[in-house]
Amino acid sequence: MTSRPSIKTVAAAAGVSPATVSNAYNRPEQLSGAVRERILDVADRMGYAGPDPTASSLRSRRTGSIGMLFAQALTYAFDDPYCTTLLAGIADVATEAGSNILLMPVGPHVSSRTYSRDEEMRLVHGVRRAAVDGAIADGVQPDHPMLRVLAERDVPLVRTTDEGGGRSVVVDDAGAGRALGEHLRSLGHRRVAFVADSTGDGRPRVEPADHRPLFPYARRRLEGVREALEPHEVMVVDAGTNTARSGRRAVDAILARDPWVTAVVATSDVLALGVLEALRSRGVRPGVDVSVTGFDDLPQAAQEGLTTVHQPVREKGRTLGRMLLDPSFTAHRVLLPTELVVRTTTGTAPHHS
Amino acid sequence: MTSRPSIKTVAAAAGVSPATVSNAYNRPEQLSGAVRERILDVADRMGYAGPDPTASSLRSRRTGSIGMLFAQALTYAFDDPYCTTLLAGIADVATEAGSNILLMPVGPHVSSRTYSRDEEMRLVHGVRRAAVDGAIADGVQPDHPMLRVLAERDVPLVRTTDEGGGRSVVVDDAGAGRALGEHLRSLGHRRVAFVADSTGDGRPRVEPADHRPLFPYARRRLEGVREALEPHEVMVVDAGTNTARSGRRAVDAILARDPWVTAVVATSDVLALGVLEALRSRGVRPGVDVSVTGFDDLPQAAQEGLTTVHQPVREKGRTLGRMLLDPSFTAHRVLLPTELVVRTTTGTAPHHS
DNA sequence: TCGGGCTTCTTGATCGATTTAGTAGAACGT
DNA sequence: ACGTTCTACTAAATCGATCAAGAAGCCCGA
């Protein structure tokens, strides 16, 4: 009599079958109002808080929550306005649908590496334990082991890249990169550095000229930039994390390698803002001595006059959410528009002779 | 042969019992390396992604995730740097512990109201379905129905208020409020408005002089401010949501009621920044014509010169997380320090004669 | 040779609900 | 009065694992 009541004990106390108690909570229309009231009264009196979620999920194969996977560690994700805005969009839809959102910490994965069984186990630990009806992956590499786990578990997945197939909400990253590149080219820039985030622990470093960034979106944007600037080579810098700090430090790496760089293209506003800061503290005038561009168009970007590419992040989140939660939303791939926003951090290239 | 493999089919294929397969995933030390390898090989070959999370949770009574409840709607929470920073702190600990974080949308609850059965059902819907090992509630009123549900379900709970007992990580809100009040009083302010957030849908409105704000932290801070300014009455404004927009609109309400207010105390920096903006756009000089204070000490506050109370938000998140996830962390209540940070938005009260 | 202590694996019960198929009885039309 | 349909509820099977208790085999010392 002292243990937590189960649906069976409540049923017995109310003089009905367990199935009827279940219906009282989940299908009110299936039983008479009087019986339902009696059952809920009895449940209240016994301190029964409703059907056990895990038992319910096991039998019904539904959990009422959707999973969220970020390319970067959760610890950074919440500092990143892009991520929080995306989450806000997802939350808009989830709230309406009555779904919970499960955030899973993800380990970093570098495509070229192979893992021992135990390393891989650790990498997918959170995903394996996650009870979700579907999942959203932002920026995650298509070959990340956790996506395989989700696939094996038949968890519906939507992503923000169309690499590797599957449902997706994307922007035209390559096109946006090209727009940035063309903008810079038209201003006379020839020596351009591209700063990409990744899951590096470490300090920013200049990569070989043919480097392919870790994350799909960064890869695509770089492709576009390269295309627009051909035949000039683009210097590629792996900044490590997607933080202003990494942006600042990337400036060191760039200038150490080539002090005559006239423009820096960053894969995100967050990085770009760090770049701006570092340049200014060296007495370099953004938009005059060195041009800088970002990506996302965060509120802060407007404040700082950052030339960037606008993407509808919150709408992206909403669309991702709807793809999972709204059965009538059947699109396989949604393309959202981007727009080049030219502000004051880009200008004509200084003439070095 | 076409359905998803279960632990039983994998066991059969590997020539062992289901319990052994379970151990291969959950207790590697309980079986020989050779058998474990064989089992995992077979599992891989059959496309088995490991034990089903819901089934596992049902039997083991563990889910591997902790729940997060915000006082405000999720939709706003992600726009609020306080919330995201708190989450970052929680994520720090959760990542380390390998726990997932479940975000639950919560409906608004006004203490004075009583609900019909169905209204209450809707209010606690997310919490009833949530499979979690523990939960963190930030700013939620102690009598919110969902806290009752969690209690009935024996879900361990930690909160950011000590009202109503239970485990908590708190700051001395009343003390901080008093510090703000004394600061203003020493500057000669007598007509002070207090702007509190709540879960209002609506427009800001001036409340009766003895109003008690909805959220515990706001209540405490107001108590402190009132105490310091006695016997002068404090005008209390319910700003609705915790957003800059509500802060801006609160200014209208304040000035409509009493144009001679010389100081505005907001329950958060977010609100205060909105207040600043609205004042400036009316040509009122913050810190000269009207003093303004915030709470939290967000990065933006420093930027804007906002006088505010610093609280260690990320550390608060970490501590909350540890309380749930670290069994050796047994403290029942942790008090974190705050500090009054005086900047330029407060100054001596203008003399109205 | 025996029994105790390990390690490694198995057996059978159990976690707490939902589902499907079905029944009893009321209501209805003819 | 009879068959049909509908409403409101029940019985039994089932979801897929984990747990507690126990057994088989092995090593070891006495």
Side-chain angles (χ1 to χ4, degrees):
Chain A
M1 214 37 180
T2 168
S3 75
R4 239 179 324 99
S6 75
I7 207 171
K8 236 186 289 187
T9 61
V10 173
V16 295
S17 76
T20 303
V21 177
S22 172
N23 284 332
Y25 284 94
N26 303 317
R27 294 176 171 156
E29 75 284 1
Q30 292 284 324
L31 53 132
S32 67
V35 173
R36 175 155 190 259
E37 283 303 310
R38 180 161 44 103
I39 291 173
L40 296 182
D41 279 341
V42 169
D44 264 3
R45 209 167 320 120
M46 300 179 74
Y48 179 70
D52 180 281
T54 60
S56 164
S57 298
L58 173 58
R59 183 65 242 241
S60 68
R61 316 261 70 197
R62 244 167 294 114
T63 66
S65 48
I66 58 175
M68 181 72 215
L69 302 164
F70 287 109
Q72 56 191 317
L74 230 40
T75 294
Y76 298 120
F78 292 115
D79 290 331
D80 182 345
Y82 167 85
C83 291
T84 56
T85 306
L86 193 77
L87 265 174
I90 295 169
D92 290 341
V93 180
T95 300
E96 203 180 339
S99 278
N100 297 319
I101 301 174
L102 187 71
L103 269 22
M104 315 183 213
V106 313
H109 159 64
V110 180
S111 301
S112 53
R113 278 206 54 188
T114 60
Y115 298 92
S116 77
R117 186 100 68 186
D118 287 320
E119 284 174 320
E120 185 163 325
M121 283 268 173
R122 217 164 305 126
L123 214 51
V124 301
H125 179 261
V127 172
R128 261 205 4 233
R129 313 205 45 170
V132 294
D133 297 331
I136 296 172
D138 176 66
V140 178
Q141 308 101 291
D143 63 346
H144 196 295
M146 45 181 199
L147 298 190
R148 214 201 58 219
V149 169
L150 289 175
E152 282 178 348
R153 283 184 40 200
D154 291 341
V155 173
L157 179 71
V158 301
R159 300 183 303 142
T160 53
T161 170
D162 48 13
E163 270 184 32
R167 301 183 75 190
S168 59
V169 178
V170 296
V171 297
D172 179 8
D173 285 304
R178 212 176 308 120
L180 283 170
E182 278 160 9
H183 171 60
L184 292 173
R185 159 156 236 156
S186 75
L187 293 169
H189 295 274
R190 300 292 178 265
R191 300 177 93 121
V192 174
F194 184 90
V195 181
D197 59 331
S198 77
T199 58
D201 45 347
R203 67 195 75 263
R205 64 160 174 277
V206 177
E207 300 285 352
D210 62 343
H211 179 71
R212 307 187 69 223
L214 184 59
F215 298 126
Y217 56 88
R219 227 148 43 210
R220 297 288 186 88
R221 291 171 197 171
L222 174 55
E223 279 166 25
V225 172
R226 276 190 176 132
E227 199 179 309
L229 289 169
E230 252 166 15
H232 305 286
E233 223 167 50
V234 175
M235 184 201 309
V236 180
V237 178
D238 179 333
T241 58
N242 185 39
T243 57
R245 179 155 189 264
S246 289
R248 289 196 299 270
R249 302 206 297 177
V251 170
D252 300 333
I254 293 169
L255 296 182
R257 170 64 63 100
D258 178 358
W260 293 286
V261 158
T262 66
V264 178
V265 175
T267 45
S268 74
D269 285 354
V270 170
L271 279 173
L273 292 167
V275 169
L276 282 183
E277 210 180 308
L279 290 177
R280 285 194 184 117
S281 77
R282 287 166 176 260
V284 178
R285 293 161 300 171
V288 180
D289 304 318
V290 172
S291 289
V292 178
T293 69
F295 207 104
D296 295 338
D297 196 20
L298 306 179
Q300 261 212 289
Q303 230 171 290
E304 298 284 330
L306 180 67
T307 292
T308 190
V309 171
H310 177 86
Q311 64 167 327
V313 180
R314 187 145 190 163
E315 186 55 33
K316 204 173 181 178
R318 287 210 192 91
T319 309
L320 288 163
R322 262 193 294 265
M323 267 195 171
L324 282 183
L325 294 170
D326 178 357
S328 71
F329 195 102
T330 56
H332 187 77
R333 178 173 175 279
V334 173
L335 179 71
L336 296 176
T338 60
E339 192 188 352
L340 177 65
V341 182
V342 177
R343 298 203 180 94
T344 59
T345 60
T346 47
T348 52
H351 187 64
H352 295 288
S353 51
Chain B
M1 217 34 180
T2 168
S3 74
R4 235 177 333 98
S6 75
I7 208 171
K8 238 186 285 188
T9 61
V10 172
V16 295
S17 77
T20 304
V21 176
S22 172
N23 284 332
Y25 284 94
N26 302 318
R27 294 176 169 153
E29 75 285 0
Q30 293 284 323
L31 43 97
S32 68
V35 172
R36 174 154 189 259
E37 284 302 310
R38 180 160 44 103
I39 291 172
L40 296 182
D41 279 340
V42 169
D44 264 3
R45 208 165 320 119
M46 300 180 75
Y48 178 71
D52 180 281
T54 59
S56 164
S57 299
L58 172 58
R59 184 65 243 244
S60 69
R61 318 257 70 197
R62 244 167 295 114
T63 66
S65 47
I66 58 175
M68 181 72 215
L69 302 164
F70 286 109
Q72 56 191 317
L74 230 40
T75 295
Y76 297 119
F78 292 115
D79 290 331
D80 182 346
Y82 168 84
C83 292
T84 57
T85 305
L86 193 77
L87 265 175
I90 296 168
D92 290 342
V93 180
T95 300
E96 203 179 339
S99 279
N100 297 320
I101 301 174
L102 188 71
L103 269 21
M104 317 182 213
V106 314
H109 159 63
V110 181
S111 301
S112 53
R113 278 206 54 188
T114 60
Y115 298 94
S116 78
R117 185 101 69 186
D118 286 320
E119 284 174 321
E120 186 163 325
M121 282 267 172
R122 216 164 305 124
L123 213 52
V124 301
H125 179 260
V127 171
R128 260 204 6 230
R129 313 206 44 172
V132 293
D133 297 331
I136 297 172
D138 177 66
V140 178
Q141 307 103 291
D143 63 346
H144 196 294
M146 44 181 198
L147 298 190
R148 215 202 56 218
V149 169
L150 289 176
E152 282 178 349
R153 283 184 40 201
D154 291 341
V155 174
L157 179 71
V158 300
R159 300 184 302 143
T160 53
T161 171
D162 47 13
E163 269 183 34
R167 301 183 75 191
S168 59
V169 178
V170 297
V171 296
D172 179 8
D173 284 304
R178 213 176 308 120
L180 283 169
E182 278 159 10
H183 171 59
L184 291 173
R185 161 156 235 157
S186 75
L187 292 169
H189 295 274
R190 300 290 177 268
R191 300 178 94 121
V192 175
F194 183 90
V195 181
D197 59 329
S198 77
T199 59
D201 45 347
R203 66 193 76 262
R205 64 160 175 278
V206 177
E207 300 285 352
D210 62 345
H211 179 71
R212 308 187 68 222
L214 184 59
F215 297 126
Y217 56 88
R219 226 145 46 208
R220 297 289 186 88
R221 291 172 197 171
L222 174 55
E223 278 167 24
V225 172
R226 275 188 177 136
E227 198 179 310
L229 289 169
E230 253 164 13
H232 304 286
E233 222 168 52
V234 175
M235 185 202 308
V236 180
V237 178
D238 179 335
T241 58
N242 185 39
T243 58
R245 177 152 190 265
S246 289
R248 287 197 300 272
R249 301 206 296 177
V251 171
D252 299 333
I254 293 169
L255 296 183
R257 171 62 65 99
D258 178 1
W260 293 286
V261 159
T262 66
V264 178
V265 175
T267 46
S268 74
D269 284 354
V270 170
L271 279 173
L273 292 167
V275 169
L276 281 184
E277 209 181 310
L279 290 177
R280 285 195 184 117
S281 77
R282 287 164 175 260
V284 178
R285 293 161 300 172
V288 180
D289 304 318
V290 172
S291 288
V292 178
T293 69
F295 208 103
D296 294 340
D297 196 20
L298 306 178
Q300 260 211 289
Q303 229 171 292
E304 299 283 330
L306 180 67
T307 292
T308 190
V309 171
H310 177 86
Q311 65 167 324
V313 180
R314 186 144 190 165
E315 186 55 32
K316 202 172 181 180
R318 287 210 192 91
T319 310
L320 287 164
R322 260 191 296 255
M323 266 195 170
L324 283 184
L325 294 171
D326 178 356
S328 71
F329 196 104
T330 56
H332 187 78
R333 177 171 175 280
V334 174
L335 178 70
L336 296 176
T338 59
E339 191 188 353
L340 178 64
V341 182
V342 177
R343 297 202 180 95
T344 58
T345 60
T346 46
T348 52
H351 187 65
H352 295 287
S353 51

